[in-house]
């Protein structure tokens, strides 16, 4: 079973005085599966430094269909686009796995970032890496087979949760791929036959991480926003 050190990686990477100044503005919260943090066009009033669990940004189309555009776990910040300037949400932000976070009022964080250049630079670097992941995902969604994209996405989930079991709804699995549930089932069954996972009704257990990495497309390594850039 995989175990992660507790806490948010961006906060952990900050100098102690910068981290203390930010946490002085923060409120620790727990969030439940399915909790919605923002809907499209809502003003982003709070940022959430995720400590456990993870959330998704989900694009909502006029016909009601949804597709995940990115996920945020303990490597990052939900609502980071409002860290430096006031912004409205472009997507629905929703918790996919229950967890905890440090919640900070966006306006107060912007003041702190103006006062502390190292905090501003940390947030700006994360936004740049997130943009790189989005650009890589655009190519991935257009060119890579659903099975390889599914393996990539499972690895990203596995990076963000404690343990090896993912309890995810069929609806969410389908929205992740932007596909029908039958496509998700085919992809999951293929990985199960390869011995990478065990799969049953939305409950996925990673059995062989190396096999899952072998099955994933190159975009898992190329769009590696999870690990802060050195230097």
């Amino acid at each position: 079973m995989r175990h992660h050190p507790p806490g948010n990686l961006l906060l952990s990477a900050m100098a102690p005085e910068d981290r203390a100044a930010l946490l002085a503005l923060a409120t620790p919260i727990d969030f439940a599966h399915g909790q919605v943090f923002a809907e499209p066009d809502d003003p982003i009033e709070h940022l959430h430094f995720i400590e456990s669990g993870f959330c998704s940004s989900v694009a909502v189309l006029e016909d009601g269909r949804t597709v995940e555009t990115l996920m945020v776990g303990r490597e990052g910040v939900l609502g980071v686009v409002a860290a430096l300037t006031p912004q409205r949400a472009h997507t629905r932000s929703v918790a996919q796995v229950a967890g905890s976070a440090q919640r900070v009022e966006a306006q107060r964080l912007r003041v702190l970032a103006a006062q502390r250049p190292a905090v501003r630079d940390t947030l700006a670097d994360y936004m740049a890496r997130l943009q790189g992941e989005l650009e890589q995902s655009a190519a991935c969604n257009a060119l890579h087979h659903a099975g390889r994209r599914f393996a990539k996405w499972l690895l990203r989930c596995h990076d963000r949760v404690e343990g090896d079991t993912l309890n995810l709804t069929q609806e969410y699995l389908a929205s992740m791929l932007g596909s029908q549930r039958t496509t998700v089932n085919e992809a999951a069954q293929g990985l199960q036959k390869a011995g990478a996972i065990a799969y049953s009704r939305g409950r996925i257990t990673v059995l062989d991480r190396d096999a899952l990495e072998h099955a994933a497309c190159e975009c898992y390594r190329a769009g590696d926003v999870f690990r802060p850039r050195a230097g």
Side-chain angles (χ1 to χ4, degrees):
M1 178 180 291
R2 288 163 57 87
H3 294 283
H4 301 307
N8 179 271
L9 295 185
L10 286 185
L11 292 177
S12 297
M14 291 181 183
E17 60 272 18
D18 290 324
R19 181 168 61 252
L22 194 155
L23 288 174
L25 305 177
T27 301
I29 67 160
D30 294 321
F31 55 84
H33 164 72
Q35 180 171 330
V36 175
F37 294 87
E39 292 284 2
D41 206 38
D42 284 351
I44 300 175
E45 297 179 345
H46 295 89
L47 282 76
H48 295 83
F49 290 80
I50 306 298
E51 296 182 318
S52 64
F54 70 86
C55 304
S56 295
S57 289
V58 179
V60 182
L61 304 183
E62 289 183 354
D63 63 5
R65 289 181 297 170
T66 61
V67 63
E68 183 188 75
T69 59
L70 58 88
M71 69 172 67
V72 180
R74 63 192 183 90
E75 83 292 346
V77 188
L78 189 66
V80 71
V81 293
L84 303 180
T85 59
Q87 296 287 338
R88 291 180 176 271
H90 299 293
T91 58
R92 175 182 297 151
S93 298
V94 59
Q96 302 296 352
V97 172
S100 62
Q102 295 288 340
R103 182 176 65 194
V104 184
E105 186 179 340
Q107 184 176 2
R108 298 183 74 186
L109 183 59
R110 289 193 289 268
V111 171
L112 181 70
Q115 295 171 341
R116 291 182 173 269
V119 172
R120 178 199 63 210
D121 290 348
T122 296
L123 295 168
D125 178 71
Y126 173 66
M127 282 191 276
R129 290 185 289 112
L130 201 62
Q131 178 64 28
E133 180 181 289
L134 288 167
E135 292 170 358
Q136 187 74 30
S137 292
C140 182
N141 292 337
L143 299 174
H144 287 154
H145 184 270
R148 294 179 68 80
R149 290 192 288 119
F150 186 59
K152 173 199 73 174
W153 180 83
L154 288 179
L155 286 166
R156 290 181 172 175
C157 291
H158 196 221
D159 284 338
R160 290 163 171 84
V161 301
E162 185 73 16
D164 296 320
T165 298
L166 308 169
N167 293 303
L168 303 165
T169 66
Q170 285 275 346
E171 180 182 8
Y172 177 51
L173 292 172
S175 74
M176 177 279 301
L177 286 178
S179 304
Q180 300 295 322
R181 294 185 183 187
T182 53
T183 303
V184 172
N185 285 331
E186 289 172 3
Q189 288 168 9
L191 291 174
Q192 184 164 253
K193 288 179 181 178
I197 66 170
Y199 173 67
S200 177
R201 296 184 179 180
R203 181 183 177 90
I204 297 172
T205 301
V206 177
L207 301 177
D208 187 336
R209 169 96 185 184
D210 290 340
L212 195 58
E213 291 188 11
H214 180 74
C217 61
E218 67 199 69
C219 300
Y220 172 66
R221 293 167 293 279
D224 198 9
V225 73
F226 187 78
R227 296 168 181 83
R229 187 169 57 199

